Amino acid sequence: MRTSLDSYLGIHPQALSLEAQRNELLAANLANVDTPNYKARDIDFKSALAAAGGNTSAAGSASGSAAVPSVPTPTVAAPLASASSGIDPTALKYRVPMAPSLDGNTVDEQLEQSAFAENSVRYQATLTFLNSALRDLMTAITGS
Amino acid sequence: MSSFKIFDIAGSGMSAQSVRLNTVASNLANADSVSGDPNSVYRAKHPVFQAVMGNPGDLSTAQVNVTGIAQSQAAPETRYDPGNPLADAQGNVYAPNVNVVEEMADMISASRSYQNNVEVLNTSRDMMLATLKLGQS
């Protein structure tokens, strides 16, 4: 059962939590940039958000699809087998490396860095949406 | 809290890279530490990194762990230097198997990776502080 505040905020709370999780994943990729046999992972944002949002309202999904388009498809591959608590397991995928490396590591430093920068901007955009929604609510409550 | 894990992840990356920088410094400092015995000469040291996955249900936490320091098994360099007080009966001394060019490249790589982790840490901190101010502005 959704409260009216949940439907008022739309998809943004779920998007914020998903973006935080994606940032964690990208940080793990960047930390393991020199670890042999480490396979870089990423979230397929569109399907993860669909799984997290579930039955979002029409207004929410419309603004959500405009605010958070999916990651480019060529960069992600087969889904992981095991389940995860926070992220939808079908959305968590291994990255396809652009060039093979001798130690089996598939982290592309530049790609991960740009993904991290992009994701943090998305996070801040979601925060701005939430902030303005809450400010509107406060204006309606206080009436000034 | 799950959002604080990002500090552990970036922190583990920073400490792993600083171990790597330490071994590079040690290798470069000892590049000319000759010895009269090929078995006791200094050998190049390199850290072994390993990804530490979190719980099976928690796939996103992949910290870095330094599982050990491997010593290079390459043969030490033999130099004929009879004037050296450490020279053996044949007048040879043995220099470490440190490849200075390789070490310098390793140093740059470690330094860049360290900076990457610092950048991740700073960005995450700014984002969390912005989240704390949610609804206050």
Side-chain angles (χ1 to χ4, degrees), chain A residues 29-77:
Chain A
N29 288 347
L30 278 170
N32 283 289
V33 75
D34 295 308
T35 309
N37 289 318
Y38 180 82
K39 309 296 180 205
R41 295 165 306 167
D42 199 358
I43 298 176
D44 182 0
F45 207 91
K46 197 173 186 178
S47 57
L49 194 59
N55 48 355
T56 49
S57 63
S61 59
S63 65
S65 60
V68 279
S70 65
V71 290
T73 38
T75 57
V76 285

Side-chain angles (χ1 to χ4, degrees), chain B residues 80-125:
Chain B
Y80 181 64
D81 186 6
N84 194 314
L86 291 171
D88 62 6
Q90 287 79 40
N92 288 332
V93 291
Y94 300 91
N97 53 3
V98 174
N99 185 337
V100 176
V101 178
E102 202 177 281
E103 296 298 332
M104 291 300 285
D106 220 25
M107 182 185 77
I108 295 168
S109 169
S111 149
R112 291 305 300 269
S113 301
Y114 191 94
Q115 287 171 23
N116 264 345
N117 282 303
V118 172
E119 197 59 44
V120 167
L121 215 61
N122 275 335
T123 311
S124 309
R125 195 203 54 188

Side-chain angles (χ1 to χ4, degrees), chain B:
Chain B
M1 272 300 292
S2 71
S3 48
F4 287 101
K5 270 188 306 203
I6 200 160
F7 292 107
D8 296 341
I9 294 168
S12 74
M14 280 162 68
S15 73
Q17 297 299 340
S18 79
V19 167
R20 189 169 163 214
L21 270 178
N22 275 330
T23 60
V24 168
S26 166
N27 292 345
L28 285 176
N30 284 293
D32 287 313
S33 305
V34 294
S35 167
D37 181 6
N39 294 318
S40 66
V41 70
Y42 179 87
R43 289 176 178 276
K45 301 180 196 316
H46 296 288
V48 181
F49 289 172
Q50 192 189 30
V52 183
M53 296 297 175
N55 309 319
D58 191 9
L59 290 168
S60 64
T61 54
Q63 298 186 15
V64 196
N65 189 20
V66 181
T67 51
I69 308 286
Q71 290 207 341
S72 169
Q73 294 305 309
E77 187 192 331
T78 308
R79 289 184 194 156
Y80 181 64
D81 186 6
N84 194 314
L86 291 171
D88 62 6
Q90 287 79 40
N92 288 332
V93 291
Y94 300 91
N97 53 3
V98 174
N99 185 337
V100 176
V101 178
E102 202 177 281
E103 296 298 332
M104 291 300 285
D106 220 25
M107 182 185 77
I108 295 168
S109 169
S111 149
R112 291 305 300 269
S113 301
Y114 191 94
Q115 287 171 23
N116 264 345
N117 282 303
V118 172
E119 197 59 44
V120 167
L121 215 61
N122 275 335
T123 311
S124 309
R125 195 203 54 188
D126 289 349
M127 281 164 52
M128 286 174 76
L129 288 178
T131 316
L132 277 179
K133 293 202 198 89
L134 185 65
Q136 287 178 5
S137 55

